[in-house]
């Protein structure tokens, strides 16, 4: 409890003035009643155990919500552009790159002393149409190298860690467990090696990560995904590929039961034994489809997050935890196909009231007794 009081003291001294100024204007925008007192800022709670806490941050949050900006400033040490730093956003058409949106988010980070995660360079869902066609027609790596060389140095002052390859694993595509995407089609499985070497050349100081999802539950599919990820990492390490770590997206899903402690622990143990870093990169919770009271739903979300955090925080090389947003108001889970329009899988609700998930994150960082 003494550490909590100490951190609360820092929180009040550090954030209250900034928060008060932002909040006055933000409150005019989104009036909130009966708000629980803000706890210790999540970035402070994480910092107390030498981890970094951050959140996804969108153009909508930057441009349309003073509350989103204020809460991001008080809670987060880092931000991850949710869309703005992806290839299809930066270069929707050939021979022209528009950094306006990415620069705006980067300048928000620079202005307020925040770090930024580089998300993400090669992703099968983030390839602009023209680039996909060029890869297929020419099978030349130059277009990838030009893209990396244009983007990575531009943000090198605030990006310590890049998701170089995102979602390389897919079950049922190939015997080696890799996804058959545009890069695989054009270059074969060595595209992953080339991506990391090209990224190392473009940003020698940055940590280079492989980012993956579907690794948290007890099922044949997720067991195979964990195994295929480890095999890929072993191959990359055996070839001396400059990979520094693994991003665990951690999109938890209450429809799949509870997180599989042994499976997650074993995965992180084996990644750690390869001397790789680990980041939790997109933590949120997809609720089950059934109803239930808000209190019961929020409790179930918080308990799952705490179970997950208690496993991953056992590993000192888990350097950061990023939630895929702060408020349910902006959660992709509400808008994606198959999503739940009223999903409550982030730390704050639509009106920025803190929820049990936020308390669970704080308690996990502070090592407080868990009740799950
Ligand atoms: O803002 C424009 C809007 O002006 C336009 O009218 C509309 C038309 O489609 O598009 C809007 O941009 C959308 C953007 O999100 C901002 O909301 C893009 O179409 C849409 O593709 C984009 O989706 C993002 C998605 O990745 C694809 O990049 C989601 O926000 C983002 O949450 C999601 O994040 C991914 C991670 O990068 C990787 N892991 C899975 C995760 C969830 O899919």
């Amino acid at each position: 409890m003494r550490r909590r009081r100490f951190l609360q003291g820092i929180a009040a001294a550090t954030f209250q003035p900034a928060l008060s100024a932002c909040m006055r204007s933000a409150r005019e925008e989104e009036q909130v009643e009966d708000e629980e007192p803000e706890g210790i800022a999540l970035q402070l709670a994480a910092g107390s155990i030498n981890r970094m806490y951050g959140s996804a941050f969108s153009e909508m949050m930057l441009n349309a919500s003073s509350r989103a900006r204020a809460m991001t400033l008080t809670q987060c040490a880092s931000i991850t552009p949710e869309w703005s730093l992806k290839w299809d956003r930066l270069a929707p058409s050939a021979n022209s790159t528009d950094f306006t949106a990415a620069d705006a988010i980067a300048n928000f980070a620079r202005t307020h002393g925040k770090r930024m995660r580089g998300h993400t360079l090669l992703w099968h869902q983030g390839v602009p149409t023209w680039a996909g066609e060029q890869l297929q027609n020419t099978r030349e790596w130059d277009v990838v190298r030009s893209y990396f060389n244009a983007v990575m140095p531009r943000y090198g002052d605030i990006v310590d860690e890049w998701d170089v390859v995102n979602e390389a694993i897919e079950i049922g595509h190939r015997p080696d467990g890799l996804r058959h995407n545009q890069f695989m089609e054009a270059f074969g499985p060595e595209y992953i090696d080339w991506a990391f070497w090209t990224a190392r050349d473009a940003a020698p100081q940055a940590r280079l990560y492989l980012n993956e999802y579907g690794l948290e539950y007890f099922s044949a599919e997720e067991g195979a995904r964990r195994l295929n990820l480890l095999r890929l990492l072993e191959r990359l390490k055996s070839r001396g590929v400059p990979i520094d770590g693994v991003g665990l997206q951690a999109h938890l899903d209450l429809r799949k039961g509870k997180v599989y402690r042994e499976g997650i622990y074993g995965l992180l143990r084996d990644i750690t034994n390869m001397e790789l870093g680990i980041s939790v990169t997109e933590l949120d919770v997809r609720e089950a489809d059934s109803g239930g009271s808000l209190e019961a739903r929020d409790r179930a979300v918080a308990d799952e997050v705490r179970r997950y955090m208690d496993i991953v925080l056992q590993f000192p090389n888990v350097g950061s935890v990023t939630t895929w947003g702060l408020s349910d108001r902006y959660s992709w889970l509400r808008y994606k196909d198959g999503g739940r329009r009223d999903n409550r899988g982030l730390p704050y609700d639509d009106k920025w009231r803190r929820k049990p998930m936020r308390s669970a994150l704080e308690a996990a960082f502070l090592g407080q007794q868990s009740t799950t």
Side-chain angles (χ1 to χ4, degrees):
M1 282 307 282
R2 279 178 45 212
R3 178 150 61 118
R4 183 183 172 84
R5 276 200 296 274
F6 169 72
L7 291 169
Q8 276 176 325
I10 294 179
T14 310
F15 296 111
Q16 205 48 52
L19 178 59
S20 303
C22 290
M23 296 295 279
R24 271 193 299 278
S25 58
R27 279 192 189 281
E28 288 149 21
E29 179 188 49
E30 291 150 3
Q31 195 55 40
V32 177
E33 314 77 30
D34 72 346
E35 192 174 19
E36 272 188 47
E38 194 52 65
I40 297 166
L42 289 172
Q43 63 172 316
L44 269 181
S48 75
I49 56 169
N50 299 318
R51 320 300 174 103
M52 183 173 276
Y53 170 75
S55 170
F57 192 63
S58 67
E59 294 162 43
M60 174 80 77
M61 291 167 72
L62 177 66
N63 300 322
S65 172
S66 59
R67 191 68 190 273
R69 293 193 299 274
M71 293 299 281
T72 301
L73 294 184
T74 58
Q75 299 304 318
C76 301
S78 85
I79 57 176
T80 302
E82 188 168 1
W83 180 45
S84 311
L85 205 49
K86 292 168 183 171
W87 200 355
D88 59 330
R89 180 70 174 111
L90 291 169
S93 53
N95 307 316
S96 74
T97 306
D98 181 0
F99 289 106
T100 307
D103 283 351
I105 288 182
N107 290 334
F108 178 78
R110 291 185 178 108
T111 303
H112 299 287
K114 305 298 180 183
R115 307 310 289 170
M116 187 166 86
R117 287 200 83 253
H119 178 82
T120 179
L121 293 168
L122 292 191
W123 182 34
H124 63 284
Q125 290 190 37
V127 182
T129 305
W130 67 268
E133 291 167 355
Q134 189 167 325
L135 290 174
Q136 189 175 357
N137 297 337
T138 70
R139 299 175 189 266
E140 289 178 2
W141 188 255
D142 284 351
V143 65
V144 176
R145 180 179 296 105
S146 300
Y147 157 52
F148 283 28
N149 287 342
V151 177
M152 298 182 81
R154 190 180 186 96
Y155 304 110
D157 59 317
I158 52 174
V159 174
D160 305 310
E161 190 171 290
W162 284 93
D163 291 333
V164 176
V165 174
N166 192 38
E167 304 181 4
I169 303 289
E170 186 54 294
I171 304 308
H173 278 202
R174 293 169 43 96
D176 58 10
L178 296 181
R179 180 184 300 274
H180 193 82
N181 57 28
Q182 306 92 321
F183 319 109
M184 179 69 75
E185 177 69 26
F187 307 111
E190 285 74 23
Y191 86 87
I192 300 174
D193 303 46
W194 297 355
F196 280 89
W197 283 116
T198 304
R200 179 65 92 221
D201 288 344
Q205 307 310 316
R207 297 189 299 273
L208 306 179
Y209 274 48
L210 186 79
N211 196 43
E212 202 51 79
Y213 73 96
L215 305 167
E216 299 80 22
Y217 291 91
F218 182 81
S219 68
E221 178 181 356
E222 299 212 3
R225 293 184 65 83
R226 287 189 286 268
L227 183 59
N228 288 327
L229 174 58
L230 290 171
R231 285 174 171 163
L232 170 59
L233 295 171
E234 285 166 349
R235 289 197 299 270
L236 295 174
K237 292 287 285 183
S238 70
R239 294 197 290 262
V241 171
I243 179 171
D244 299 302
V246 179
L248 307 174
Q249 290 186 15
H251 290 297
L252 306 183
D253 189 333
L254 298 184
R255 296 171 297 177
K256 298 179 180 176
K258 293 181 180 177
V259 288
Y260 178 33
R261 291 175 197 264
E262 292 75 12
I264 298 168
Y265 187 89
L267 175 69
L268 272 68
R269 178 201 58 220
D270 293 350
I271 291 171
T272 302
N273 290 340
M274 294 183 211
E275 298 180 345
L276 291 169
I278 298 169
S279 291
V280 175
T281 55
E282 305 179 21
L283 178 61
D284 57 15
V285 182
R286 173 42 164 98
E287 289 189 79
D289 288 321
S290 58
S293 68
L294 281 191
E295 184 182 5
R297 289 170 55 191
D298 288 350
R299 183 74 266 146
V301 166
D303 288 350
E304 185 78 329
V305 167
R306 182 65 197 264
R307 279 189 289 269
Y308 183 76
M309 290 287 284
D310 285 350
I311 302 164
V312 301
L313 291 181
Q314 295 176 57
F315 294 85
N317 55 321
V318 173
S320 67
V321 174
T322 296
T323 50
W324 209 235
L326 283 174
S327 163
D328 297 326
R329 173 190 288 251
Y330 301 102
S331 172
W332 74 290
L333 286 166
R334 291 193 167 190
Y335 310 105
K336 78 184 214 47
D337 297 341
R340 177 170 170 165
R341 291 293 171 264
D342 64 342
N343 203 77
R344 294 169 65 87
L346 285 173
Y348 295 86
D349 72 5
D350 303 51
K351 283 190 165 294
W352 292 94
R353 285 176 293 229
R354 58 182 292 161
K355 293 185 299 173
M357 176 178 166
R358 194 238 180 257
S359 304
L361 286 167
E362 179 182 326
F365 284 130
L366 296 178
Q368 287 163 357
Q369 191 59 38
S370 169
T371 58
T372 58

